[in-house]
mmCIF file of all heavy atoms in Angstrom:
data_model
loop_
_atom_site.group_PDB
_atom_site.id
_atom_site.type_symbol
_atom_site.label_atom_id
_atom_site.label_comp_id
_atom_site.label_asym_id
_atom_site.label_seq_id
_atom_site.Cartn_x
_atom_site.Cartn_y
_atom_site.Cartn_z
ATOM 1 N N THR A 29 -132.865 -172.748 32.474
ATOM 2 C CA THR A 29 -131.686 -173.501 32.877
ATOM 3 C C THR A 29 -130.467 -172.598 33.027
ATOM 4 O O THR A 29 -130.020 -171.969 32.056
ATOM 5 C CB THR A 29 -131.378 -174.596 31.830
ATOM 6 O OG1 THR A 29 -132.569 -175.357 31.588
ATOM 7 C CG2 THR A 29 -130.269 -175.502 32.314
ATOM 8 N N PRO A 30 -129.892 -172.502 34.227
ATOM 9 C CA PRO A 30 -128.756 -171.601 34.443
ATOM 10 C C PRO A 30 -127.581 -171.849 33.498
ATOM 11 O O PRO A 30 -126.958 -170.897 33.016
ATOM 12 C CB PRO A 30 -128.374 -171.874 35.909
ATOM 13 C CG PRO A 30 -129.660 -172.291 36.543
ATOM 14 C CD PRO A 30 -130.366 -173.104 35.493
ATOM 15 N N TYR A 31 -127.251 -173.110 33.236
ATOM 16 C CA TYR A 31 -126.150 -173.424 32.316
ATOM 17 C C TYR A 31 -126.379 -172.764 30.957
ATOM 18 O O TYR A 31 -125.464 -172.167 30.379
ATOM 19 C CB TYR A 31 -126.037 -174.939 32.155
ATOM 20 C CG TYR A 31 -125.061 -175.409 31.098
ATOM 21 C CD1 TYR A 31 -123.728 -175.638 31.417
ATOM 22 C CD2 TYR A 31 -125.476 -175.643 29.785
ATOM 23 C CE1 TYR A 31 -122.830 -176.087 30.446
ATOM 24 C CE2 TYR A 31 -124.596 -176.085 28.818
ATOM 25 C CZ TYR A 31 -123.279 -176.303 29.151
ATOM 26 O OH TYR A 31 -122.393 -176.738 28.178
ATOM 27 N N VAL A 32 -127.609 -172.847 30.469
ATOM 28 C CA VAL A 32 -127.936 -172.274 29.163
ATOM 29 C C VAL A 32 -127.909 -170.756 29.222
ATOM 30 O O VAL A 32 -127.384 -170.092 28.314
ATOM 31 C CB VAL A 32 -129.307 -172.786 28.683
ATOM 32 C CG1 VAL A 32 -129.700 -172.131 27.360
ATOM 33 C CG2 VAL A 32 -129.277 -174.306 28.530
ATOM 34 N N HIS A 33 -128.440 -170.185 30.289
ATOM 35 C CA HIS A 33 -128.419 -168.726 30.424
ATOM 36 C C HIS A 33 -126.980 -168.214 30.481
ATOM 37 O O HIS A 33 -126.653 -167.184 29.879
ATOM 38 C CB HIS A 33 -129.184 -168.304 31.679
ATOM 39 C CG HIS A 33 -130.663 -168.273 31.492
ATOM 40 N ND1 HIS A 33 -131.466 -167.270 31.982
ATOM 41 C CD2 HIS A 33 -131.495 -169.124 30.836
ATOM 42 C CE1 HIS A 33 -132.727 -167.503 31.662
ATOM 43 N NE2 HIS A 33 -132.766 -168.633 30.964
ATOM 44 N N GLY A 34 -126.124 -168.921 31.218
ATOM 45 C CA GLY A 34 -124.723 -168.502 31.290
ATOM 46 C C GLY A 34 -124.053 -168.549 29.936
ATOM 47 O O GLY A 34 -123.303 -167.638 29.564
ATOM 48 N N ALA A 35 -124.320 -169.618 29.179
ATOM 49 C CA ALA A 35 -123.742 -169.741 27.842
ATOM 50 C C ALA A 35 -124.216 -168.616 26.937
ATOM 51 O O ALA A 35 -123.427 -168.003 26.202
ATOM 52 C CB ALA A 35 -124.090 -171.098 27.247
ATOM 53 N N LEU A 36 -125.520 -168.316 26.974
ATOM 54 C CA LEU A 36 -126.079 -167.273 26.111
ATOM 55 C C LEU A 36 -125.561 -165.890 26.505
ATOM 56 O O LEU A 36 -125.272 -165.058 25.638
ATOM 57 C CB LEU A 36 -127.607 -167.307 26.170
ATOM 58 C CG LEU A 36 -128.257 -168.477 25.415
ATOM 59 C CD1 LEU A 36 -129.710 -168.636 25.824
ATOM 60 C CD2 LEU A 36 -128.138 -168.282 23.909
ATOM 61 N N ARG A 37 -125.440 -165.628 27.786
ATOM 62 C CA ARG A 37 -124.918 -164.331 28.219
ATOM 63 C C ARG A 37 -123.453 -164.167 27.804
ATOM 64 O O ARG A 37 -123.033 -163.112 27.338
ATOM 65 C CB ARG A 37 -125.079 -164.181 29.736
ATOM 66 C CG ARG A 37 -126.521 -163.955 30.169
ATOM 67 C CD ARG A 37 -126.610 -163.587 31.654
ATOM 68 N NE ARG A 37 -127.937 -163.112 31.977
ATOM 69 C CZ ARG A 37 -128.874 -163.818 32.609
ATOM 70 N NH1 ARG A 37 -128.612 -165.043 32.999
ATOM 71 N NH2 ARG A 37 -130.067 -163.295 32.854
ATOM 72 N N GLU A 38 -122.684 -165.230 27.967
ATOM 73 C CA GLU A 38 -121.275 -165.177 27.562
ATOM 74 C C GLU A 38 -121.165 -164.976 26.053
ATOM 75 O O GLU A 38 -120.330 -164.187 25.576
ATOM 76 C CB GLU A 38 -120.575 -166.470 27.970
ATOM 77 C CG GLU A 38 -119.084 -166.517 27.659
ATOM 78 C CD GLU A 38 -118.259 -165.555 28.497
ATOM 79 O OE1 GLU A 38 -118.697 -165.180 29.599
ATOM 80 O OE2 GLU A 38 -117.149 -165.177 28.041
ATOM 81 N N ALA A 39 -122.013 -165.672 25.301
ATOM 82 C CA ALA A 39 -121.993 -165.533 23.847
ATOM 83 C C ALA A 39 -122.312 -164.103 23.431
ATOM 84 O O ALA A 39 -121.657 -163.532 22.542
ATOM 85 C CB ALA A 39 -122.989 -166.502 23.218
ATOM 86 N N ALA A 40 -123.325 -163.506 24.053
ATOM 87 C CA ALA A 40 -123.695 -162.130 23.716
ATOM 88 C C ALA A 40 -122.553 -161.170 24.025
ATOM 89 O O ALA A 40 -122.278 -160.250 23.247
ATOM 90 C CB ALA A 40 -124.956 -161.733 24.477
ATOM 91 N N GLU A 41 -121.894 -161.388 25.130
ATOM 92 C CA GLU A 41 -120.771 -160.517 25.501
ATOM 93 C C GLU A 41 -119.604 -160.655 24.539
ATOM 94 O O GLU A 41 -118.810 -159.724 24.367
ATOM 95 C CB GLU A 41 -120.330 -160.824 26.928
ATOM 96 C CG GLU A 41 -121.360 -160.404 27.974
ATOM 97 C CD GLU A 41 -121.047 -160.924 29.371
ATOM 98 O OE1 GLU A 41 -119.911 -161.423 29.571
ATOM 99 O OE2 GLU A 41 -121.924 -160.821 30.245
ATOM 100 N N ARG A 42 -119.517 -161.813 23.882
ATOM 101 C CA ARG A 42 -118.454 -162.032 22.902
ATOM 102 C C ARG A 42 -118.874 -161.604 21.499
ATOM 103 O O ARG A 42 -118.129 -161.816 20.548
ATOM 104 C CB ARG A 42 -118.051 -163.517 22.896
ATOM 105 C CG ARG A 42 -117.315 -163.951 24.158
ATOM 106 C CD ARG A 42 -117.113 -165.455 24.206
ATOM 107 N NE ARG A 42 -116.372 -165.842 25.403
ATOM 108 C CZ ARG A 42 -115.131 -166.328 25.413
ATOM 109 N NH1 ARG A 42 -114.480 -166.504 24.262
ATOM 110 N NH2 ARG A 42 -114.535 -166.638 26.544
ATOM 111 N N GLY A 43 -120.064 -161.039 21.365
ATOM 112 C CA GLY A 43 -120.521 -160.521 20.080
ATOM 113 C C GLY A 43 -121.197 -161.528 19.188
ATOM 114 O O GLY A 43 -121.393 -161.268 17.990
ATOM 115 N N CYS A 44 -121.590 -162.687 19.738
ATOM 116 C CA CYS A 44 -122.261 -163.714 18.944
ATOM 117 C C CYS A 44 -123.752 -163.417 18.826
ATOM 118 O O CYS A 44 -124.367 -162.878 19.744
ATOM 119 C CB CYS A 44 -122.117 -165.083 19.604
ATOM 120 S SG CYS A 44 -120.449 -165.718 19.638
ATOM 121 N N LEU A 45 -124.339 -163.830 17.723
ATOM 122 C CA LEU A 45 -125.784 -163.814 17.619
ATOM 123 C C LEU A 45 -126.320 -164.971 18.450
ATOM 124 O O LEU A 45 -125.774 -166.075 18.423
ATOM 125 C CB LEU A 45 -126.221 -163.951 16.167
ATOM 126 C CG LEU A 45 -127.710 -163.680 15.907
ATOM 127 C CD1 LEU A 45 -127.875 -162.924 14.592
ATOM 128 C CD2 LEU A 45 -128.513 -164.960 15.885
ATOM 129 N N THR A 46 -127.392 -164.726 19.223
ATOM 130 C CA THR A 46 -127.902 -165.732 20.143
ATOM 131 C C THR A 46 -129.347 -166.097 19.814
ATOM 132 O O THR A 46 -130.144 -165.249 19.436
ATOM 133 C CB THR A 46 -127.835 -165.236 21.594
ATOM 134 O OG1 THR A 46 -128.543 -163.998 21.703
ATOM 135 C CG2 THR A 46 -126.389 -165.037 22.026
ATOM 136 N N VAL A 47 -129.650 -167.393 19.971
ATOM 137 C CA VAL A 47 -130.984 -167.930 19.714
ATOM 138 C C VAL A 47 -131.378 -168.780 20.920
ATOM 139 O O VAL A 47 -130.555 -169.515 21.465
ATOM 140 C CB VAL A 47 -131.013 -168.811 18.447
ATOM 141 C CG1 VAL A 47 -132.419 -169.342 18.180
ATOM 142 C CG2 VAL A 47 -130.477 -168.050 17.248
ATOM 143 N N MET A 48 -132.625 -168.680 21.331
ATOM 144 C CA MET A 48 -133.142 -169.546 22.396
ATOM 145 C C MET A 48 -134.294 -170.373 21.847
ATOM 146 O O MET A 48 -135.192 -169.843 21.184
ATOM 147 C CB MET A 48 -133.632 -168.713 23.574
ATOM 148 C CG MET A 48 -134.494 -169.469 24.583
ATOM 149 S SD MET A 48 -133.558 -170.636 25.600
ATOM 150 C CE MET A 48 -133.239 -169.616 27.044
ATOM 151 N N VAL A 49 -134.237 -171.684 22.084
ATOM 152 C CA VAL A 49 -135.339 -172.578 21.745
ATOM 153 C C VAL A 49 -135.910 -173.107 23.051
ATOM 154 O O VAL A 49 -135.191 -173.760 23.829
ATOM 155 C CB VAL A 49 -134.888 -173.747 20.851
ATOM 156 C CG1 VAL A 49 -136.072 -174.664 20.537
ATOM 157 C CG2 VAL A 49 -134.268 -173.228 19.558
ATOM 158 N N THR A 50 -137.179 -172.819 23.308
ATOM 159 C CA THR A 50 -137.813 -173.216 24.555
ATOM 160 C C THR A 50 -139.243 -173.630 24.283
ATOM 161 O O THR A 50 -139.798 -173.314 23.223
ATOM 162 C CB THR A 50 -137.778 -172.052 25.570
ATOM 163 O OG1 THR A 50 -138.354 -172.486 26.808
ATOM 164 C CG2 THR A 50 -138.550 -170.841 25.054
ATOM 165 N N THR A 51 -139.847 -174.333 25.243
ATOM 166 C CA THR A 51 -141.227 -174.759 25.052
ATOM 167 C C THR A 51 -142.154 -174.137 26.096
ATOM 168 O O THR A 51 -143.238 -174.656 26.352
ATOM 169 C CB THR A 51 -141.348 -176.298 25.069
ATOM 170 O OG1 THR A 51 -140.723 -176.828 26.244
ATOM 171 C CG2 THR A 51 -140.680 -176.878 23.838
ATOM 172 N N VAL A 52 -141.737 -173.036 26.682
ATOM 173 C CA VAL A 52 -142.631 -172.208 27.488
ATOM 174 C C VAL A 52 -142.830 -170.895 26.745
ATOM 175 O O VAL A 52 -142.036 -170.539 25.868
ATOM 176 C CB VAL A 52 -142.061 -171.941 28.904
ATOM 177 C CG1 VAL A 52 -141.899 -173.240 29.667
ATOM 178 C CG2 VAL A 52 -140.739 -171.175 28.829
ATOM 179 N N PRO A 53 -143.875 -170.144 27.047
ATOM 180 C CA PRO A 53 -144.054 -168.846 26.397
ATOM 181 C C PRO A 53 -142.865 -167.937 26.642
ATOM 182 O O PRO A 53 -142.262 -167.953 27.719
ATOM 183 C CB PRO A 53 -145.325 -168.296 27.072
ATOM 184 C CG PRO A 53 -146.052 -169.500 27.562
ATOM 185 C CD PRO A 53 -144.990 -170.480 27.967
ATOM 186 N N GLY A 54 -142.504 -167.155 25.631
ATOM 187 C CA GLY A 54 -141.330 -166.302 25.723
ATOM 188 C C GLY A 54 -141.342 -165.383 26.932
ATOM 189 O O GLY A 54 -140.283 -165.082 27.503
ATOM 190 N N GLU A 55 -142.536 -164.941 27.362
ATOM 191 C CA GLU A 55 -142.600 -164.019 28.491
ATOM 192 C C GLU A 55 -142.188 -164.684 29.802
ATOM 193 O O GLU A 55 -141.930 -163.999 30.794
ATOM 194 C CB GLU A 55 -143.998 -163.419 28.628
ATOM 195 C CG GLU A 55 -145.121 -164.419 28.790
ATOM 196 C CD GLU A 55 -145.768 -164.802 27.467
ATOM 197 O OE1 GLU A 55 -145.105 -164.646 26.425
ATOM 198 O OE2 GLU A 55 -146.943 -165.238 27.494
ATOM 199 N N GLN A 56 -142.106 -166.024 29.821
ATOM 200 C CA GLN A 56 -141.651 -166.714 31.026
ATOM 201 C C GLN A 56 -140.130 -166.854 31.065
ATOM 202 O O GLN A 56 -139.587 -167.358 32.051
ATOM 203 C CB GLN A 56 -142.303 -168.097 31.119
ATOM 204 C CG GLN A 56 -143.796 -168.062 31.375
ATOM 205 C CD GLN A 56 -144.386 -169.447 31.620
ATOM 206 O OE1 GLN A 56 -143.695 -170.469 31.574
ATOM 207 N NE2 GLN A 56 -145.680 -169.482 31.893
ATOM 208 N N VAL A 57 -139.458 -166.438 30.008
ATOM 209 C CA VAL A 57 -138.001 -166.554 29.933
ATOM 210 C C VAL A 57 -137.358 -165.250 30.390
ATOM 211 O O VAL A 57 -137.580 -164.204 29.782
ATOM 212 C CB VAL A 57 -137.540 -166.901 28.503
ATOM 213 C CG1 VAL A 57 -136.023 -167.019 28.444
ATOM 214 C CG2 VAL A 57 -138.196 -168.196 28.039
ATOM 215 N N ARG A 58 -136.557 -165.295 31.424
ATOM 216 C CA ARG A 58 -135.937 -164.105 31.993
ATOM 217 C C ARG A 58 -134.574 -163.855 31.349
ATOM 218 O O ARG A 58 -133.536 -163.829 32.010
ATOM 219 C CB ARG A 58 -135.781 -164.258 33.507
ATOM 220 C CG ARG A 58 -137.108 -164.479 34.233
ATOM 221 C CD ARG A 58 -136.867 -164.715 35.701
ATOM 222 N NE ARG A 58 -138.114 -164.905 36.430
ATOM 223 C CZ ARG A 58 -138.185 -165.120 37.739
ATOM 224 N NH1 ARG A 58 -137.060 -165.178 38.449
ATOM 225 N NH2 ARG A 58 -139.345 -165.288 38.330
ATOM 226 N N LEU A 59 -134.587 -163.713 30.073
ATOM 227 C CA LEU A 59 -133.344 -163.520 29.331
ATOM 228 C C LEU A 59 -133.683 -162.921 27.981
ATOM 229 O O LEU A 59 -134.690 -163.275 27.368
ATOM 230 C CB LEU A 59 -132.638 -164.872 29.122
ATOM 231 C CG LEU A 59 -131.290 -164.840 28.412
ATOM 232 C CD1 LEU A 59 -130.208 -164.314 29.348
ATOM 233 C CD2 LEU A 59 -130.921 -166.240 27.921
ATOM 234 N N GLU A 60 -132.836 -162.010 27.505
ATOM 235 C CA GLU A 60 -133.017 -161.430 26.184
ATOM 236 C C GLU A 60 -132.041 -162.068 25.209
ATOM 237 O O GLU A 60 -130.852 -162.198 25.505
ATOM 238 C CB GLU A 60 -132.792 -159.918 26.232
ATOM 239 C CG GLU A 60 -133.046 -159.220 24.905
ATOM 240 C CD GLU A 60 -132.870 -157.721 25.017
ATOM 241 O OE1 GLU A 60 -133.419 -157.132 25.960
ATOM 242 O OE2 GLU A 60 -132.151 -157.159 24.169
ATOM 243 N N VAL A 61 -132.562 -162.489 24.062
ATOM 244 C CA VAL A 61 -131.718 -163.047 23.009
ATOM 245 C C VAL A 61 -132.082 -162.384 21.693
ATOM 246 O O VAL A 61 -133.087 -161.688 21.591
ATOM 247 C CB VAL A 61 -131.902 -164.581 22.900
ATOM 248 C CG1 VAL A 61 -131.381 -165.282 24.144
ATOM 249 C CG2 VAL A 61 -133.365 -164.944 22.657
ATOM 250 N N ASP A 62 -131.268 -162.637 20.670
ATOM 251 C CA ASP A 62 -131.535 -162.032 19.362
ATOM 252 C C ASP A 62 -132.755 -162.651 18.688
ATOM 253 O O ASP A 62 -133.546 -161.960 18.055
ATOM 254 C CB ASP A 62 -130.308 -162.159 18.457
ATOM 255 C CG ASP A 62 -129.123 -161.367 18.988
ATOM 256 O OD1 ASP A 62 -129.271 -160.135 19.169
ATOM 257 O OD2 ASP A 62 -128.067 -161.966 19.246
ATOM 258 N N ILE A 63 -132.891 -163.971 18.793
ATOM 259 C CA ILE A 63 -134.034 -164.670 18.199
ATOM 260 C C ILE A 63 -134.615 -165.612 19.244
ATOM 261 O O ILE A 63 -133.941 -166.537 19.697
ATOM 262 C CB ILE A 63 -133.627 -165.472 16.946
ATOM 263 C CG1 ILE A 63 -132.981 -164.560 15.892
ATOM 264 C CG2 ILE A 63 -134.846 -166.181 16.346
ATOM 265 C CD1 ILE A 63 -132.419 -165.308 14.684
ATOM 266 N N MET A 64 -135.853 -165.362 19.621
ATOM 267 C CA MET A 64 -136.547 -166.217 20.582
ATOM 268 C C MET A 64 -137.502 -167.141 19.831
ATOM 269 O O MET A 64 -138.419 -166.680 19.143
ATOM 270 C CB MET A 64 -137.325 -165.375 21.591
ATOM 271 C CG MET A 64 -138.222 -166.181 22.523
ATOM 272 S SD MET A 64 -137.304 -167.294 23.629
ATOM 273 C CE MET A 64 -136.560 -166.077 24.726
ATOM 274 N N ILE A 65 -137.282 -168.449 19.945
ATOM 275 C CA ILE A 65 -138.175 -169.437 19.333
ATOM 276 C C ILE A 65 -138.863 -170.168 20.481
ATOM 277 O O ILE A 65 -138.369 -171.185 20.998
ATOM 278 C CB ILE A 65 -137.411 -170.419 18.429
ATOM 279 C CG1 ILE A 65 -136.646 -169.659 17.328
ATOM 280 C CG2 ILE A 65 -138.380 -171.423 17.792
ATOM 281 C CD1 ILE A 65 -135.784 -170.539 16.453
ATOM 282 N N ASP A 66 -139.977 -169.629 20.910
ATOM 283 C CA ASP A 66 -140.739 -170.241 21.990
ATOM 284 C C ASP A 66 -141.903 -171.012 21.392
ATOM 285 O O ASP A 66 -142.683 -170.496 20.622
ATOM 286 C CB ASP A 66 -141.219 -169.191 22.988
ATOM 287 C CG ASP A 66 -142.055 -168.100 22.343
ATOM 288 O OD1 ASP A 66 -141.732 -167.693 21.213
ATOM 289 O OD2 ASP A 66 -143.034 -167.647 22.966
ATOM 290 N N VAL A 67 -141.973 -172.292 21.741
ATOM 291 C CA VAL A 67 -142.990 -173.189 21.198
ATOM 292 C C VAL A 67 -143.751 -173.799 22.378
ATOM 293 O O VAL A 67 -143.472 -174.936 22.792
ATOM 294 C CB VAL A 67 -142.361 -174.298 20.331
ATOM 295 C CG1 VAL A 67 -143.446 -175.136 19.655
ATOM 296 C CG2 VAL A 67 -141.423 -173.715 19.284
#
């Protein structure tokens, strides 16, 4: 979801720790976060 990716990228640039919760395998997510919770 672009809205979520934009939020996470902005958060990382501001020095926040970032977490992604998704229900597809992590390798399908085109974004790097600090903690990936793929279910």
Side-chain angles (χ1 to χ4, degrees):
T29 309
Y31 172 89
V32 177
H33 279 222
L36 286 165
R37 287 189 168 103
E38 183 68 24
E41 291 170 12
R42 290 172 178 248
C44 293
L45 191 141
T46 56
V47 181
M48 166 72 95
V49 179
T50 183
T51 52
V52 298
E55 57 267 23
Q56 292 187 358
V57 180
R58 301 176 179 181
L59 183 75
E60 184 177 312
V61 293
D62 295 302
I63 303 174
M64 173 65 71
I65 303 176
D66 57 322
V67 186

